[in-house]
Amino acid sequence: MKIGELAQVAQCTVETVRYYEKAGLLSPPARTAANYRSYGDAHVDRLRFIRNCRALDMTHAEIHALLGLMDQAAGDCGGINQLLDEHIAHVDMRIAELSQLKQQLSELRQCCQSKQAVDACGILQGLASMETEQRHERHTHLG
Amino acid sequence: MKIGELAQVAQCTVETVRYYEKAGLLSPPARTAANYRSYGDAHVDRLRFIRNCRALDMTHAEIHALLGLMDQAAGDCGGINQLLDEHIAHVDMRIAELSQLKQQLSELRQCCQSKQAVDACGILQGLASMETEQRHERHTHLG
DNA sequence: CTTGACCCTATAGTAGCTTCAGGGTGTGAA
DNA sequence: TTCACACCCTGAAGCTACTATAGGGTCAAG
Ligand SMILES: [Zn+2]
Ligand SMILES: [Zn+2]
Ligand SMILES: [Zn+2]
Ligand SMILES: [Zn+2]
């Protein structure tokens, strides 16, 4: 199976497949005489797994760790469960941050109810007078 | 006022200030004989405004547009109000996406309640069998 | 006259791709 | 046979909003 076909069954682009190989997420496949990449079923499974993880907004580092844990068939799955818990925490934290942001933005939006002169716009005044505060360190890889 | 002082009152780093200048958000200031940047009160206001917008997770493009609208003192503030509404929509959409993601992740987490053999882990099975779907185009700049 | 805090420019790195430039390969039609 | 066209290859650059580093200049105090 050539790269175009693999990309199609995994619903991603050819470039993305090549990128995952370079990034170390997908192992380099065999090559044909013409130097074309030649994939098998194991690659299909792996790539779909990776795409599913990405659809859940995991980072490459998280996916890499997951693949490593997966390949140690000897151990138990405690590490896997933990990794997922941590990622769920990332999502939770980002939701909380964005909810607070939305609150701030809604309050700001209240400051101007109708079209008026730019100089009088409460939104601009609000943006000018907000307390500038050091940006918090991020606790999550999500935005 | 030199760049270090400006950065301090605006709660950001010197590098960030220089970056904003290169990015076209902050106009280049006068220079001293020693080629040091020399800022005035207008720059302080502008930079604080920018930092406040960034604290609300606006993109540079959004901030750039906002500054442009702001500087057309002749017009009304309809464009400003609209820009803010659109950004609030960005935040709303991202919250909705992340909420759905959390739902999916919680369901996945339910698939494995306790440590067991890796081969039997329901999380891995879930990740392998999810329906790979084309990643939706993003409707928001928020990660 | 040296130390240290500040300033300057230019460049590379971060994440996860996408896009482009400049080529080679393989198949069906004219 | 030769052309067009779809597909494949590599390597490098572009995207966002910074951050960090290298390698230097400026200035006041001791
Ligand atoms: Zn995560
Ligand atoms: Zn207004
Ligand atoms: Zn926005
Ligand atoms: Zn498990």
mmCIF file of all heavy atoms in Angstrom, chain B residues 26-67:
data_model
loop_
_atom_site.group_PDB
_atom_site.id
_atom_site.type_symbol
_atom_site.label_atom_id
_atom_site.label_comp_id
_atom_site.label_asym_id
_atom_site.label_seq_id
_atom_site.Cartn_x
_atom_site.Cartn_y
_atom_site.Cartn_z
ATOM 1 N N LEU B 26 3.291 47.736 17.641
ATOM 2 C CA LEU B 26 3.777 48.882 18.412
ATOM 3 C C LEU B 26 4.666 49.696 17.484
ATOM 4 O O LEU B 26 5.563 49.141 16.854
ATOM 5 C CB LEU B 26 4.594 48.353 19.598
ATOM 6 C CG LEU B 26 4.762 49.210 20.829
ATOM 7 C CD1 LEU B 26 3.423 49.654 21.387
ATOM 8 C CD2 LEU B 26 5.536 48.430 21.880
ATOM 9 N N SER B 27 4.412 51.000 17.384
ATOM 10 C CA SER B 27 5.194 51.792 16.429
ATOM 11 C C SER B 27 6.613 52.005 16.942
ATOM 12 O O SER B 27 6.834 52.107 18.149
ATOM 13 C CB SER B 27 4.502 53.130 16.179
ATOM 14 O OG SER B 27 4.439 53.849 17.379
ATOM 15 N N PRO B 28 7.568 52.051 16.047
ATOM 16 C CA PRO B 28 8.969 52.235 16.438
ATOM 17 C C PRO B 28 9.141 53.572 17.147
ATOM 18 O O PRO B 28 8.674 54.599 16.650
ATOM 19 C CB PRO B 28 9.706 52.250 15.096
ATOM 20 C CG PRO B 28 8.801 51.579 14.132
ATOM 21 C CD PRO B 28 7.411 51.908 14.592
ATOM 22 N N PRO B 29 9.777 53.572 18.288
ATOM 23 C CA PRO B 29 9.948 54.804 19.070
ATOM 24 C C PRO B 29 11.177 55.573 18.583
ATOM 25 O O PRO B 29 11.937 55.071 17.763
ATOM 26 C CB PRO B 29 10.196 54.271 20.472
ATOM 27 C CG PRO B 29 10.941 52.995 20.235
ATOM 28 C CD PRO B 29 10.393 52.416 18.951
ATOM 29 N N ALA B 30 11.349 56.740 19.136
ATOM 30 C CA ALA B 30 12.579 57.489 18.875
ATOM 31 C C ALA B 30 13.756 56.731 19.466
ATOM 32 O O ALA B 30 13.572 55.831 20.280
ATOM 33 C CB ALA B 30 12.466 58.870 19.518
ATOM 34 N N ARG B 31 14.962 57.137 19.051
ATOM 35 C CA ARG B 31 16.152 56.491 19.573
ATOM 36 C C ARG B 31 17.049 57.538 20.227
ATOM 37 O O ARG B 31 17.108 58.684 19.777
ATOM 38 C CB ARG B 31 16.937 55.823 18.434
ATOM 39 C CG ARG B 31 16.189 54.725 17.705
ATOM 40 C CD ARG B 31 16.130 53.455 18.514
ATOM 41 N NE ARG B 31 15.525 52.361 17.774
ATOM 42 C CZ ARG B 31 16.042 51.136 17.704
ATOM 43 N NH1 ARG B 31 17.178 50.860 18.317
ATOM 44 N NH2 ARG B 31 15.426 50.191 17.037
ATOM 45 N N THR B 32 17.762 57.136 21.236
ATOM 46 C CA THR B 32 18.738 58.022 21.866
ATOM 47 C C THR B 32 20.013 58.024 21.021
ATOM 48 O O THR B 32 20.130 57.261 20.069
ATOM 49 C CB THR B 32 19.105 57.531 23.277
ATOM 50 O OG1 THR B 32 19.840 56.319 23.149
ATOM 51 C CG2 THR B 32 17.871 57.288 24.113
ATOM 52 N N ALA B 33 20.966 58.833 21.425
ATOM 53 C CA ALA B 33 22.235 58.888 20.717
ATOM 54 C C ALA B 33 22.914 57.522 20.711
ATOM 55 O O ALA B 33 23.613 57.160 19.767
ATOM 56 C CB ALA B 33 23.145 59.920 21.377
ATOM 57 N N ALA B 34 22.670 56.744 21.752
ATOM 58 C CA ALA B 34 23.293 55.416 21.857
ATOM 59 C C ALA B 34 22.467 54.350 21.161
ATOM 60 O O ALA B 34 22.716 53.164 21.337
ATOM 61 C CB ALA B 34 23.480 55.053 23.319
ATOM 62 N N ASN B 35 21.452 54.781 20.412
ATOM 63 C CA ASN B 35 20.575 53.867 19.685
ATOM 64 C C ASN B 35 19.637 53.076 20.594
ATOM 65 O O ASN B 35 19.144 52.021 20.218
ATOM 66 C CB ASN B 35 21.393 52.911 18.797
ATOM 67 C CG ASN B 35 20.529 52.294 17.710
ATOM 68 O OD1 ASN B 35 19.587 52.915 17.232
ATOM 69 N ND2 ASN B 35 20.825 51.062 17.343
ATOM 70 N N TYR B 36 19.398 53.574 21.787
ATOM 71 C CA TYR B 36 18.443 52.940 22.699
ATOM 72 C C TYR B 36 17.039 53.417 22.323
ATOM 73 O O TYR B 36 16.831 54.592 22.019
ATOM 74 C CB TYR B 36 18.720 53.341 24.145
ATOM 75 C CG TYR B 36 19.945 52.711 24.764
ATOM 76 C CD1 TYR B 36 20.858 51.992 23.994
ATOM 77 C CD2 TYR B 36 20.179 52.833 26.128
ATOM 78 C CE1 TYR B 36 21.974 51.411 24.570
ATOM 79 C CE2 TYR B 36 21.301 52.255 26.710
ATOM 80 C CZ TYR B 36 22.189 51.545 25.926
ATOM 81 O OH TYR B 36 23.288 50.978 26.498
ATOM 82 N N ARG B 37 16.046 52.533 22.407
ATOM 83 C CA ARG B 37 14.653 52.931 22.170
ATOM 84 C C ARG B 37 14.201 53.857 23.311
ATOM 85 O O ARG B 37 14.475 53.580 24.483
ATOM 86 C CB ARG B 37 13.745 51.712 22.113
ATOM 87 C CG ARG B 37 13.902 50.874 20.856
ATOM 88 C CD ARG B 37 13.099 49.593 20.956
ATOM 89 N NE ARG B 37 13.227 48.774 19.755
ATOM 90 C CZ ARG B 37 14.247 47.971 19.489
ATOM 91 N NH1 ARG B 37 15.256 47.892 20.351
ATOM 92 N NH2 ARG B 37 14.268 47.255 18.388
ATOM 93 N N SER B 38 13.454 54.895 22.934
ATOM 94 C CA SER B 38 13.006 55.884 23.925
ATOM 95 C C SER B 38 11.494 56.084 23.829
ATOM 96 O O SER B 38 10.995 56.603 22.835
ATOM 97 C CB SER B 38 13.735 57.205 23.646
ATOM 98 O OG SER B 38 13.288 58.190 24.535
ATOM 99 N N TYR B 39 10.787 55.635 24.838
ATOM 100 C CA TYR B 39 9.322 55.614 24.791
ATOM 101 C C TYR B 39 8.672 56.744 25.578
ATOM 102 O O TYR B 39 9.240 57.243 26.559
ATOM 103 C CB TYR B 39 8.806 54.277 25.337
ATOM 104 C CG TYR B 39 9.226 53.086 24.518
ATOM 105 C CD1 TYR B 39 10.332 52.320 24.878
ATOM 106 C CD2 TYR B 39 8.520 52.719 23.374
ATOM 107 C CE1 TYR B 39 10.722 51.217 24.118
ATOM 108 C CE2 TYR B 39 8.902 51.620 22.609
ATOM 109 C CZ TYR B 39 10.004 50.886 22.992
ATOM 110 O OH TYR B 39 10.386 49.809 22.244
ATOM 111 N N GLY B 40 7.443 57.093 25.178
ATOM 112 C CA GLY B 40 6.652 58.089 25.894
ATOM 113 C C GLY B 40 5.354 57.476 26.409
ATOM 114 O O GLY B 40 5.129 56.271 26.272
ATOM 115 N N ASP B 41 4.479 58.323 26.951
ATOM 116 C CA ASP B 41 3.245 57.839 27.558
ATOM 117 C C ASP B 41 2.326 57.141 26.561
ATOM 118 O O ASP B 41 1.628 56.185 26.911
ATOM 119 C CB ASP B 41 2.490 59.018 28.206
ATOM 120 C CG ASP B 41 3.213 59.509 29.455
ATOM 121 O OD1 ASP B 41 4.140 58.801 29.902
ATOM 122 O OD2 ASP B 41 2.850 60.576 29.967
ATOM 123 N N ALA B 42 2.318 57.641 25.324
ATOM 124 C CA ALA B 42 1.441 57.030 24.315
ATOM 125 C C ALA B 42 1.824 55.565 24.108
ATOM 126 O O ALA B 42 0.959 54.694 23.945
ATOM 127 C CB ALA B 42 1.542 57.793 22.996
ATOM 128 N N HIS B 43 3.116 55.321 24.136
ATOM 129 C CA HIS B 43 3.566 53.939 23.969
ATOM 130 C C HIS B 43 3.138 53.066 25.142
ATOM 131 O O HIS B 43 2.782 51.911 24.970
ATOM 132 C CB HIS B 43 5.087 53.895 23.813
ATOM 133 C CG HIS B 43 5.567 54.231 22.436
ATOM 134 N ND1 HIS B 43 6.148 55.453 22.134
ATOM 135 C CD2 HIS B 43 5.525 53.546 21.264
ATOM 136 C CE1 HIS B 43 6.453 55.470 20.842
ATOM 137 N NE2 HIS B 43 6.091 54.337 20.290
ATOM 138 N N VAL B 44 3.197 53.646 26.324
ATOM 139 C CA VAL B 44 2.762 52.884 27.504
ATOM 140 C C VAL B 44 1.298 52.486 27.348
ATOM 141 O O VAL B 44 0.931 51.322 27.533
ATOM 142 C CB VAL B 44 2.948 53.724 28.789
ATOM 143 C CG1 VAL B 44 2.394 52.987 29.993
ATOM 144 C CG2 VAL B 44 4.424 54.059 29.002
ATOM 145 N N ASP B 45 0.459 53.445 26.984
ATOM 146 C CA ASP B 45 -0.963 53.153 26.808
ATOM 147 C C ASP B 45 -1.175 52.072 25.761
ATOM 148 O O ASP B 45 -1.946 51.138 25.957
ATOM 149 C CB ASP B 45 -1.710 54.422 26.355
ATOM 150 C CG ASP B 45 -1.786 55.451 27.475
ATOM 151 O OD1 ASP B 45 -1.487 55.092 28.629
ATOM 152 O OD2 ASP B 45 -2.130 56.616 27.186
ATOM 153 N N ARG B 46 -0.493 52.246 24.651
ATOM 154 C CA ARG B 46 -0.654 51.303 23.557
ATOM 155 C C ARG B 46 -0.242 49.891 23.977
ATOM 156 O O ARG B 46 -0.954 48.922 23.707
ATOM 157 C CB ARG B 46 0.220 51.764 22.383
ATOM 158 C CG ARG B 46 -0.125 51.158 21.071
ATOM 159 C CD ARG B 46 -1.353 51.794 20.482
ATOM 160 N NE ARG B 46 -1.399 51.670 19.026
ATOM 161 C CZ ARG B 46 -2.264 52.286 18.253
ATOM 162 N NH1 ARG B 46 -3.190 53.062 18.783
ATOM 163 N NH2 ARG B 46 -2.247 52.123 16.953
ATOM 164 N N LEU B 47 0.892 49.783 24.618
ATOM 165 C CA LEU B 47 1.382 48.459 25.008
ATOM 166 C C LEU B 47 0.471 47.816 26.043
ATOM 167 O O LEU B 47 0.178 46.621 25.972
ATOM 168 C CB LEU B 47 2.813 48.562 25.547
ATOM 169 C CG LEU B 47 3.446 47.237 25.976
ATOM 170 C CD1 LEU B 47 3.387 46.192 24.880
ATOM 171 C CD2 LEU B 47 4.893 47.453 26.412
ATOM 172 N N ARG B 48 -0.014 48.592 26.980
ATOM 173 C CA ARG B 48 -0.934 48.026 27.981
ATOM 174 C C ARG B 48 -2.202 47.551 27.307
ATOM 175 O O ARG B 48 -2.746 46.498 27.670
ATOM 176 C CB ARG B 48 -1.246 49.060 29.066
ATOM 177 C CG ARG B 48 -0.031 49.378 29.918
ATOM 178 C CD ARG B 48 -0.331 50.490 30.905
ATOM 179 N NE ARG B 48 -1.319 50.076 31.876
ATOM 180 C CZ ARG B 48 -1.110 50.072 33.184
ATOM 181 N NH1 ARG B 48 0.055 50.453 33.665
ATOM 182 N NH2 ARG B 48 -2.060 49.687 33.999
ATOM 183 N N PHE B 49 -2.667 48.331 26.351
ATOM 184 C CA PHE B 49 -3.855 47.933 25.591
ATOM 185 C C PHE B 49 -3.612 46.574 24.915
ATOM 186 O O PHE B 49 -4.415 45.650 25.013
ATOM 187 C CB PHE B 49 -4.160 49.002 24.541
ATOM 188 C CG PHE B 49 -5.452 48.788 23.802
ATOM 189 C CD1 PHE B 49 -6.639 49.361 24.252
ATOM 190 C CD2 PHE B 49 -5.480 48.008 22.644
ATOM 191 C CE1 PHE B 49 -7.823 49.163 23.562
ATOM 192 C CE2 PHE B 49 -6.672 47.805 21.959
ATOM 193 C CZ PHE B 49 -7.840 48.382 22.419
ATOM 194 N N ILE B 50 -2.482 46.465 24.261
ATOM 195 C CA ILE B 50 -2.145 45.223 23.562
ATOM 196 C C ILE B 50 -2.069 44.058 24.545
ATOM 197 O O ILE B 50 -2.624 42.980 24.302
ATOM 198 C CB ILE B 50 -0.808 45.367 22.804
ATOM 199 C CG1 ILE B 50 -0.940 46.394 21.673
ATOM 200 C CG2 ILE B 50 -0.344 44.030 22.251
ATOM 201 C CD1 ILE B 50 0.386 46.814 21.051
ATOM 202 N N ARG B 51 -1.400 44.271 25.659
ATOM 203 C CA ARG B 51 -1.269 43.189 26.637
ATOM 204 C C ARG B 51 -2.625 42.793 27.187
ATOM 205 O O ARG B 51 -2.881 41.617 27.454
ATOM 206 C CB ARG B 51 -0.353 43.610 27.785
ATOM 207 C CG ARG B 51 1.097 43.783 27.392
ATOM 208 C CD ARG B 51 1.726 42.576 26.730
ATOM 209 N NE ARG B 51 1.882 41.446 27.632
ATOM 210 C CZ ARG B 51 2.247 40.225 27.240
ATOM 211 N NH1 ARG B 51 2.488 39.977 25.967
ATOM 212 N NH2 ARG B 51 2.373 39.248 28.109
ATOM 213 N N ASN B 52 -3.515 43.756 27.368
ATOM 214 C CA ASN B 52 -4.854 43.424 27.848
ATOM 215 C C ASN B 52 -5.609 42.596 26.817
ATOM 216 O O ASN B 52 -6.305 41.639 27.173
ATOM 217 C CB ASN B 52 -5.626 44.704 28.206
ATOM 218 C CG ASN B 52 -5.130 45.313 29.497
ATOM 219 O OD1 ASN B 52 -4.553 44.619 30.332
ATOM 220 N ND2 ASN B 52 -5.337 46.610 29.674
ATOM 221 N N CYS B 53 -5.473 42.967 25.571
ATOM 222 C CA CYS B 53 -6.110 42.164 24.514
ATOM 223 C C CYS B 53 -5.550 40.751 24.500
ATOM 224 O O CYS B 53 -6.293 39.776 24.381
ATOM 225 C CB CYS B 53 -5.891 42.817 23.149
ATOM 226 S SG CYS B 53 -6.814 44.339 22.915
ATOM 227 N N ARG B 54 -4.247 40.622 24.657
ATOM 228 C CA ARG B 54 -3.632 39.290 24.661
ATOM 229 C C ARG B 54 -4.090 38.488 25.870
ATOM 230 O O ARG B 54 -4.257 37.274 25.796
ATOM 231 C CB ARG B 54 -2.109 39.406 24.651
ATOM 232 C CG ARG B 54 -1.518 39.861 23.348
ATOM 233 C CD ARG B 54 -1.678 38.833 22.235
ATOM 234 N NE ARG B 54 -1.074 37.564 22.578
ATOM 235 C CZ ARG B 54 -1.681 36.378 22.467
ATOM 236 N NH1 ARG B 54 -2.908 36.293 22.019
ATOM 237 N NH2 ARG B 54 -1.066 35.279 22.794
ATOM 238 N N ALA B 55 -4.293 39.177 26.990
ATOM 239 C CA ALA B 55 -4.783 38.489 28.185
ATOM 240 C C ALA B 55 -6.167 37.918 27.926
ATOM 241 O O ALA B 55 -6.591 36.952 28.567
ATOM 242 C CB ALA B 55 -4.809 39.438 29.378
ATOM 243 N N LEU B 56 -6.884 38.529 26.981
ATOM 244 C CA LEU B 56 -8.206 38.023 26.595
ATOM 245 C C LEU B 56 -8.094 37.067 25.403
ATOM 246 O O LEU B 56 -9.084 36.718 24.776
ATOM 247 C CB LEU B 56 -9.132 39.194 26.261
ATOM 248 C CG LEU B 56 -9.431 40.122 27.435
ATOM 249 C CD1 LEU B 56 -10.200 41.351 26.976
ATOM 250 C CD2 LEU B 56 -10.204 39.382 28.522
ATOM 251 N N ASP B 57 -6.878 36.657 25.097
ATOM 252 C CA ASP B 57 -6.607 35.665 24.048
ATOM 253 C C ASP B 57 -6.982 36.105 22.640
ATOM 254 O O ASP B 57 -7.309 35.281 21.791
ATOM 255 C CB ASP B 57 -7.283 34.328 24.361
ATOM 256 C CG ASP B 57 -6.306 33.348 25.009
ATOM 257 O OD1 ASP B 57 -5.108 33.659 25.060
ATOM 258 O OD2 ASP B 57 -6.751 32.284 25.465
ATOM 259 N N MET B 58 -6.922 37.393 22.390
ATOM 260 C CA MET B 58 -7.109 37.835 21.003
ATOM 261 C C MET B 58 -5.825 37.560 20.226
ATOM 262 O O MET B 58 -4.742 37.568 20.796
ATOM 263 C CB MET B 58 -7.401 39.332 20.947
ATOM 264 C CG MET B 58 -8.744 39.718 21.522
ATOM 265 S SD MET B 58 -9.031 41.495 21.299
ATOM 266 C CE MET B 58 -10.183 41.783 22.648
ATOM 267 N N THR B 59 -5.961 37.348 18.935
ATOM 268 C CA THR B 59 -4.775 37.161 18.096
ATOM 269 C C THR B 59 -4.180 38.526 17.752
ATOM 270 O O THR B 59 -4.830 39.563 17.909
ATOM 271 C CB THR B 59 -5.122 36.473 16.771
ATOM 272 O OG1 THR B 59 -6.011 37.325 16.050
ATOM 273 C CG2 THR B 59 -5.773 35.134 17.003
ATOM 274 N N HIS B 60 -2.979 38.485 17.212
ATOM 275 C CA HIS B 60 -2.377 39.724 16.739
ATOM 276 C C HIS B 60 -3.222 40.343 15.631
ATOM 277 O O HIS B 60 -3.361 41.564 15.568
ATOM 278 C CB HIS B 60 -0.948 39.463 16.246
ATOM 279 C CG HIS B 60 0.029 39.330 17.369
ATOM 280 N ND1 HIS B 60 1.378 39.327 17.190
ATOM 281 C CD2 HIS B 60 -0.185 39.207 18.695
ATOM 282 C CE1 HIS B 60 1.971 39.209 18.368
ATOM 283 N NE2 HIS B 60 1.045 39.128 19.289
ATOM 284 N N ALA B 61 -3.798 39.509 14.772
ATOM 285 C CA ALA B 61 -4.642 40.038 13.698
ATOM 286 C C ALA B 61 -5.841 40.783 14.283
ATOM 287 O O ALA B 61 -6.202 41.868 13.819
ATOM 288 C CB ALA B 61 -5.110 38.907 12.784
ATOM 289 N N GLU B 62 -6.461 40.201 15.303
ATOM 290 C CA GLU B 62 -7.605 40.861 15.932
ATOM 291 C C GLU B 62 -7.188 42.175 16.579
ATOM 292 O O GLU B 62 -7.875 43.196 16.453
ATOM 293 C CB GLU B 62 -8.242 39.918 16.970
ATOM 294 C CG GLU B 62 -9.027 38.774 16.343
ATOM 295 C CD GLU B 62 -9.460 37.702 17.336
ATOM 296 O OE1 GLU B 62 -8.768 37.484 18.348
ATOM 297 O OE2 GLU B 62 -10.487 37.058 17.094
ATOM 298 N N ILE B 63 -6.062 42.146 17.259
ATOM 299 C CA ILE B 63 -5.588 43.352 17.931
ATOM 300 C C ILE B 63 -5.237 44.424 16.898
ATOM 301 O O ILE B 63 -5.572 45.594 17.069
ATOM 302 C CB ILE B 63 -4.355 43.028 18.811
ATOM 303 C CG1 ILE B 63 -4.747 42.032 19.903
ATOM 304 C CG2 ILE B 63 -3.787 44.307 19.432
ATOM 305 C CD1 ILE B 63 -3.568 41.453 20.659
ATOM 306 N N HIS B 64 -4.595 43.978 15.830
ATOM 307 C CA HIS B 64 -4.227 44.911 14.771
ATOM 308 C C HIS B 64 -5.469 45.594 14.211
ATOM 309 O O HIS B 64 -5.503 46.819 14.031
ATOM 310 C CB HIS B 64 -3.488 44.155 13.669
ATOM 311 C CG HIS B 64 -2.723 45.034 12.747
ATOM 312 N ND1 HIS B 64 -1.442 45.455 13.007
ATOM 313 C CD2 HIS B 64 -3.062 45.595 11.567
ATOM 314 C CE1 HIS B 64 -1.038 46.229 12.040
ATOM 315 N NE2 HIS B 64 -1.993 46.329 11.138
ATOM 316 N N ALA B 65 -6.506 44.805 13.962
ATOM 317 C CA ALA B 65 -7.762 45.361 13.448
ATOM 318 C C ALA B 65 -8.361 46.342 14.441
ATOM 319 O O ALA B 65 -8.837 47.424 14.078
ATOM 320 C CB ALA B 65 -8.740 44.227 13.156
ATOM 321 N N LEU B 66 -8.318 45.971 15.707
ATOM 322 C CA LEU B 66 -8.888 46.806 16.761
ATOM 323 C C LEU B 66 -8.141 48.138 16.840
ATOM 324 O O LEU B 66 -8.756 49.212 16.946
ATOM 325 C CB LEU B 66 -8.762 46.049 18.086
ATOM 326 C CG LEU B 66 -9.732 46.359 19.207
ATOM 327 C CD1 LEU B 66 -11.157 46.394 18.710
ATOM 328 C CD2 LEU B 66 -9.586 45.304 20.304
ATOM 329 N N LEU B 67 -6.842 48.093 16.771
ATOM 330 C CA LEU B 67 -6.048 49.325 16.824
ATOM 331 C C LEU B 67 -6.377 50.217 15.619
ATOM 332 O O LEU B 67 -6.481 51.436 15.755
ATOM 333 C CB LEU B 67 -4.544 48.982 16.835
ATOM 334 C CG LEU B 67 -4.026 48.311 18.104
ATOM 335 C CD1 LEU B 67 -2.587 47.839 17.927
ATOM 336 C CD2 LEU B 67 -4.135 49.242 19.302
#
